[in-house]
Amino acid sequence: MEINYQEIKIIGFDADDTLWVNETYFRDAEHEFAKLLSSYETENKIDQELFKMEMQNLETYGYGIKGFMLSMIESAIDLSNNKVNNATISKILNLGKEMINKPVELLDGVEEVLQALSQKYRVILLTKGDLLDQERKLEKSGLSKYFHHIEVLSDKKEENYKNLLDHLEIDVKEFLMIGNSLKSDVLPLVNIGAKAIHVPFHTTWVHEMVKNEEDNGTYIKVEKIKDVLQLMEMEEVHR
């Protein structure tokens, strides 16, 4: 798909694993969680049961570290048949707190891209997860100065995007979304008529995977976020 950048006026960015590292910390915590419960089950079984618990709890807790912590605790109770002790529960809580207190590690080229694009377009941040945690990460990142608007969504489905774009009075034809998740940042946007660029991260949560990851011509895929800037600069040259 070729994007006519002359039509684009607003660019939306995802946050986790698009601007900064996130999923890596969840993988590390899952590994530590499995070690804590190794006397009850294998790591593979523990991972499977934790994921099932997370899916069951999404509508109740939503996305983010806090919901992940609660799902770990519930999984520990179930996997141990109610035998898990208070010391282990405390260690599980500490795993979550350590995740919350992680430094924000910007991905290579992020600030360079935001700085350049914010001078030519309205740039907004569209992320999902726990509001307090996302606000904390944004403050630590030092990137808030580049965004005209910041929105933490409960989910990233077509309806969520439609409602937000309507609320912000953004014409869908003038909107471009950039993110690492096909399921959350790309496909819902192209399905409602917007443009999207997929910037994959090396680690993807199972819940964010889609069966067919091939580019079917409805979006652009780049290897790294710096490539976005190169694409748009090339378009400027050809105007």
Side-chain angles (χ1 to χ4, degrees):
M1 179 192 74
E2 292 187 3
I3 294 177
N4 181 359
Y5 294 101
Q6 290 179 316
E7 294 180 345
I8 303 301
K9 295 182 180 179
I10 302 97
I11 299 177
F13 279 88
D14 170 53
D16 293 335
D17 301 318
T18 297
L19 303 181
W20 51 66
V21 175
N22 178 67
E23 191 59 27
T24 304
Y25 301 142
F26 280 85
R27 294 289 81 76
D28 292 344
E30 286 170 355
H31 180 65
E32 292 301 316
F33 175 68
K35 285 167 63 176
L36 289 174
L37 297 181
S38 60
S39 61
Y40 301 108
E41 270 294 354
T42 65
E43 182 166 355
N44 185 56
K45 177 67 173 178
I46 292 168
D47 286 345
Q48 291 177 358
E49 294 305 311
L50 175 57
F51 178 71
K52 288 180 185 177
M53 186 65 71
E54 288 181 88
M55 293 303 97
Q56 292 173 17
N57 288 335
L58 267 184
E59 289 189 10
T60 304
Y61 302 144
Y63 295 92
I65 295 173
K66 292 175 184 175
F68 179 63
M69 291 168 65
L70 291 169
S71 292
M72 282 194 291
I73 292 171
E74 288 186 59
S75 294
I77 293 170
D78 285 354
L79 287 163
S80 69
N81 195 25
N82 296 302
K83 294 178 182 178
V84 65
N85 57 41
N86 290 339
T88 301
I89 296 296
S90 180
K91 289 177 181 178
I92 293 170
L93 288 171
N94 284 333
L95 283 177
K97 290 178 181 179
E98 287 172 5
M99 292 173 69
I100 290 172
N101 292 318
K102 288 280 189 184
V104 172
E105 180 184 346
L106 296 183
L107 296 177
D108 184 46
V110 162
E111 187 156 16
E112 176 187 343
V113 171
L114 289 176
Q115 187 174 35
L117 295 183
S118 63
Q119 295 175 10
K120 300 178 182 179
Y121 305 88
R122 279 176 59 198
V123 178
I124 64 177
L125 183 71
L126 303 180
T127 185
K128 67 181 178 184
D130 178 73
L131 177 60
L132 184 60
D133 187 40
Q134 294 293 349
E135 288 179 340
R136 185 186 295 111
K137 285 190 284 189
L138 183 59
E139 182 179 355
K140 287 181 179 179
S141 75
L143 299 177
S144 58
K145 58 190 174 185
Y146 299 115
F147 297 108
H148 181 270
H149 178 80
I150 295 164
E151 191 80 21
V152 180
L153 300 162
S154 60
D155 208 339
K156 282 183 166 181
K157 297 180 180 178
E158 292 175 25
E159 183 178 0
N160 302 103
Y161 283 115
K162 281 181 181 179
N163 291 339
L164 179 63
L165 295 180
D166 287 345
H167 178 69
L168 297 178
E169 298 182 337
I170 295 174
D171 186 333
V172 69
K173 294 179 181 178
E174 298 175 346
F175 185 67
L176 169 68
M177 182 68 183
I178 299 171
N180 72 290
S181 171
L182 281 175
K183 183 177 180 179
S184 294
D185 306 319
V186 175
L187 298 180
L189 274 304
V190 298
N191 287 341
I192 65 172
K195 306 297 189 297
I197 297 178
H198 181 214
V199 190
F201 187 64
H202 59 74
T203 304
T204 303
W205 185 27
V206 176
H207 182 61
E208 292 295 330
M209 293 180 180
V210 296
K211 291 183 179 179
N212 182 13
E213 293 195 16
E214 293 182 7
D215 184 347
N216 59 6
T218 59
Y219 60 89
I220 288 176
K221 180 179 178 179
V222 297
E223 293 300 318
K224 53 188 183 299
I225 201 163
K226 280 186 178 180
D227 295 342
V228 171
L229 198 56
Q230 293 174 356
L231 276 175
M232 303 189 86
E233 285 177 345
M234 285 174 61
E235 179 67 20
E236 290 286 338
V237 170
H238 292 301
R239 282 186 186 181

